[in-house]
Amino acid sequence: MIRKVEASLLVVVLAVCAGIWGWMRRWMSDDGLIVLRTVRNLLAGHGPVFNAGERVEANTSTLWQYLIYAVSLLSDARLEIIALWLALGLSVAAVAISTWASARMHWGSFVLPVGALVYLALPPARDFFTSGLEWGLCIFWIAVAWALLVRWASTDAETNGGLFLAFWAGLSWLVRPELALYGAFIGLLLFAARPTWKLIAVALPVPLGYEIFRMGYYGLLVPHTAVAKSASGAMWEQGWKYVRDLTDAYNLWLVLALVVAGGILAVVRRPSRFELRSRSMVVILMLLCGAIHVLYVVRVGGDFMHGRMLLLPLYAMLQPVWVLPVRHIIEAIIPAAVAVWAIVVSVNGYHWYYNDDPSTLDIVDERAFWLRITHHTVEDPMLTATDFLKADRMSGYTEALEEAFSQPTGMLMPILKNKDPEEFGWITVPRMVRESAPAYTHQMDSIPITIYYTNMGMTSMNAPLNVRVLDTIGLSTPLAARGPRLEGARIGHDKYLPEYWQLAASGSDIHRLPPFAQPEKVPAARDALFTSDLVDLAATYKAPLTPQRFFDNMKWALKNGRTLEVSHDLEDYADKPVEKDATIVWPIRWGNDIHPQTFLTLE
């Protein structure tokens, strides 16, 4: 009993530390604001979309957006604050659950934190306790999965005991697609240990049901973000660079060697049986899944955010050694050494070199980047969408929006007022005049005011919902998502939709365009939108959602949805016939807007 009391005390201590350290590094990322735009549309009755009237799944985690949505139905707090507390609360809960579950592996022994110190000491781990992204939910899912696995391995093999674990494994696909790897291995282990149809009956309905919905509603097998980031591509060299960016900064290999030594010592001191339903097998499962996950991250080239994509597999692989038993004084050496490393890392932090040209940065400390860009400090971080209006690149943004609503405007475009130093501004582009446009493009005059910008979180959450906000790299823009990858560009930002395509897909007047946007190419780009492949693409996410459209989208998801690529070279469309009777947009019936500071009305 006394050991359980000690474990409970350790749970409280680590949870409190996680909460304090997470709060000290609280912030909101631009990507986190992207999630909240979808929640706003859900609350306004437009559906799970980023832009009303366009069925595009701009968020990777399905459950994260719906979790924020569910809480927002019960609270009138700002969506940013709801996201902050949800993420931090789930992160703290994950740390507590991991501690208890790992301590349960060593009942009867005094335990000290080891893997827990490694994870909590890493600055990116604490950064993503908040940020508005789904990382808190992801580590919570891993922690609960680990706790359920330990419990399952500790119970009588004659009892089933795995039904809720099977259900939890099925949710992995909706928490984040990569976690389906863990869910699949858990399901296979459960079924191999005790084959029964009940496991399948509880594991598959939710993810399968949502997958059918995704195919019919969005016309895709995976979240649209996976298409935009070409998640199936191979960039091994860049991926290894991404691993080194994390490990070299903190001498992580050294401390992980200590952790492995501690784990081996714990096994040698207390060997356990090796069978399907055993603690040894669940340890192997977590290590194997984590290793495969790291391999996948390396293959796709990692990410542009320092450490982010490696946090989940690292968290998973640290679960078996989250805490370790200390039976003799000599066994305290490893926890003590890890604690010293953790203190040094926590004090030193991560020294990231900021370059004034963000486009040249392939890996960044995202939190430090946005603190500087928005002119905030560690003591006064950006927490809400309005905090991002302080960024230089948002200079004149709200004024341009107000101007757009006061006159016929097709599009807002960012510009550089000066080259040295860079000074951003925004201009409005006049809306198309029906009499001066080809007959088959008349429908495009109903397209809402459109904004294209890479950082679409801060632009979208500082605009009313009757403004169509798109990005140039494809997270919310199918034309950009299916375009070619740029050689040497950073991961996640290696696609770009040229300005003439942006203008062509808006309601802008092609006869009154800014010279820097290559206006001579816009008519040909607009014609290309009416060629068969692009008309079919537009129909999957813009055509009214009838039962027939739902069925057609499912077929498209299995065929062209997986393979269609959009060329940005207009010559590739020059000889293709234009479908002059095609419908690629339709008038949108606006509902209510949900925004704490809506400065523009829908009228």
Side-chain angles (χ1 to χ4, degrees), residues 128-152:
F128 289 99
F129 274 4
T130 53
S131 84
L133 293 172
E134 67 272 11
W135 256 244
L137 175 62
C138 290
I139 64 171
F140 177 78
W141 183 90
I142 293 173
V144 173
W146 169 244
L148 293 172
L149 279 167
V150 171
R151 180 177 180 273
W152 173 77

Side-chain angles (χ1 to χ4, degrees), residues 353-543:
Y353 173 71
Y354 179 84
N355 187 319
D356 286 332
D357 182 4
S359 64
T360 65
L361 303 173
D362 54 355
I363 303 174
V364 300
D365 181 337
E366 189 76 352
R367 179 173 176 270
F369 173 82
W370 281 109
L371 281 173
R372 177 159 179 171
I373 287 294
T374 59
H375 306 287
H376 281 78
T377 64
V378 173
E379 293 75 21
D380 177 33
M382 56 282 167
L383 297 178
T384 66
T386 50
D387 290 336
F388 285 77
L389 292 174
K390 298 178 182 178
D392 292 340
R393 59 192 64 186
M394 294 294 280
S395 175
Y397 177 75
T398 55
E399 292 81 3
L401 268 178
E402 291 170 353
E403 180 183 341
F405 275 86
S406 67
Q407 61 187 25
T409 299
M411 187 170 167
L412 265 67
M413 296 190 74
I415 61 168
L416 284 178
K417 295 180 180 177
N418 300 300
K419 292 184 178 180
D420 188 24
E422 287 190 349
E423 183 182 347
F424 278 81
W426 292 81
I427 61 172
T428 58
V429 180
R431 178 168 290 279
M432 66 185 298
V433 179
R434 180 172 289 235
E435 289 73 19
S436 63
Y440 61 88
T441 65
H442 284 173
Q443 58 183 290
M444 302 189 74
D445 63 7
S446 65
I447 296 178
I449 296 171
T450 301
I451 299 171
Y452 278 90
Y453 197 61
T454 300
N455 306 115
M456 65 179 190
M458 62 183 181
T459 50
S460 66
M461 282 299 286
N462 282 299
L465 292 181
N466 58 339
V467 173
R468 178 176 175 241
V469 181
L470 299 172
D471 67 316
T472 57
I473 60 177
L475 297 181
S476 68
T477 316
L479 277 175
R482 295 180 177 277
R485 301 184 79 168
L486 303 176
E487 188 88 25
R490 69 179 184 175
I491 301 300
H493 289 70
D494 53 1
K495 295 182 179 179
Y496 182 78
L497 187 69
E499 283 82 0
Y500 50 87
W501 277 100
Q502 299 174 30
L503 287 159
S506 73
S508 301
D509 187 345
I510 63 175
H511 302 290
R512 295 185 291 170
L513 302 178
F516 67 83
Q518 297 178 273
E520 70 280 359
K521 294 185 177 182
V522 176
R526 186 163 285 176
D527 284 347
L529 294 176
F530 287 85
T531 56
S532 60
D533 282 347
L534 299 193
V535 166
D536 289 345
L537 173 62
T540 63
Y541 68 99
K542 290 184 178 181

Side-chain angles (χ1 to χ4, degrees), residues 35-49:
V35 180
L36 302 186
R37 169 78 172 199
T38 300
V39 176
R40 281 175 65 196
N41 274 303
L42 278 166
L43 291 169
H46 300 152
V49 298

Side-chain angles (χ1 to χ4, degrees), residues 175-198:
V175 175
R176 191 171 170 87
E178 302 97 305
L179 294 182
L181 165 70
Y182 301 79
F185 270 83
I186 291 172
L188 289 173
L189 177 60
L190 292 176
F191 196 79
R194 189 179 178 85
T196 171
W197 65 269
K198 292 181 181 179

Side-chain angles (χ1 to χ4, degrees), residues 29 150 168 182 230 259 336 341 359 410 424:
S29 68
V150 171
W168 194 255
Y182 301 79
S230 298
V259 171
W341 171 88
S359 64
F424 278 81

Side-chain angles (χ1 to χ4, degrees), residues 5-228:
V5 172
E6 292 168 351
S8 300
L9 180 61
L10 187 59
V11 167
V12 173
V13 170
L14 288 179
V16 169
C17 289
I20 293 174
W21 292 335
W23 177 256
M24 290 172 64
R25 299 182 72 88
R26 67 195 182 280
W27 67 300
M28 173 60 67
S29 68
D30 179 77
D31 284 29
L33 294 177
I34 294 174
V35 180
L36 302 186
R37 169 78 172 199
T38 300
V39 176
R40 281 175 65 196
N41 274 303
L42 278 166
L43 291 169
H46 300 152
V49 298
F50 190 79
N51 289 301
E54 298 185 357
R55 297 184 300 274
V56 176
E57 190 177 19
N59 304 312
T60 303
S61 175
T62 301
L63 282 183
W64 180 233
Q65 69 183 27
Y66 282 109
L67 186 59
I68 298 173
Y69 169 66
V71 175
S72 66
L73 292 176
L74 306 174
S75 170
D76 59 358
R78 288 188 67 128
L79 295 179
E80 299 96 320
I81 303 305
I82 291 174
L84 184 152
W85 283 108
L86 268 178
L88 184 58
L90 287 169
S91 298
V92 171
V95 170
I97 292 169
S98 294
T99 305
W100 181 260
S102 296
R104 183 174 180 171
M105 297 274 286
H106 310 288
W107 278 154
S109 301
F110 180 74
V111 294
L112 288 175
V114 178
L117 294 179
V118 173
Y119 191 82
L120 293 174
L122 294 173
R126 286 174 281 143
D127 284 352
F128 289 99
F129 274 4
T130 53
S131 84
L133 293 172
E134 67 272 11
W135 256 244
L137 175 62
C138 290
I139 64 171
F140 177 78
W141 183 90
I142 293 173
V144 173
W146 169 244
L148 293 172
L149 279 167
V150 171
R151 180 177 180 273
W152 173 77
S154 304
T155 54
D156 188 353
E158 294 303 316
T159 62
N160 186 47
L163 291 181
F164 185 73
L165 177 55
F167 172 77
W168 194 255
L171 292 181
S172 59
W173 175 246
L174 303 183
V175 175
R176 191 171 170 87
E178 302 97 305
L179 294 182
L181 165 70
Y182 301 79
F185 270 83
I186 291 172
L188 289 173
L189 177 60
L190 292 176
F191 196 79
R194 189 179 178 85
T196 171
W197 65 269
K198 292 181 181 179
L199 294 173
I200 299 174
V202 300
L204 288 185
V206 173
L208 181 60
Y210 188 80
E211 190 59 22
I212 293 172
F213 169 78
R214 172 181 280 149
M215 292 169 64
Y217 191 78
Y218 298 111
L220 288 174
L221 288 169
V222 295
H224 191 260
T225 52
V227 179

Side-chain angles (χ1 to χ4, degrees), residues 560-579:
N560 288 353
R562 296 182 299 104
T563 60
L564 179 65
E565 295 182 359
V566 175
S567 172
H568 292 162
D569 185 351
L570 295 176
E571 291 296 323
D572 292 336
Y573 298 94
D575 298 327
K576 294 185 178 182
V578 174
E579 297 187 10

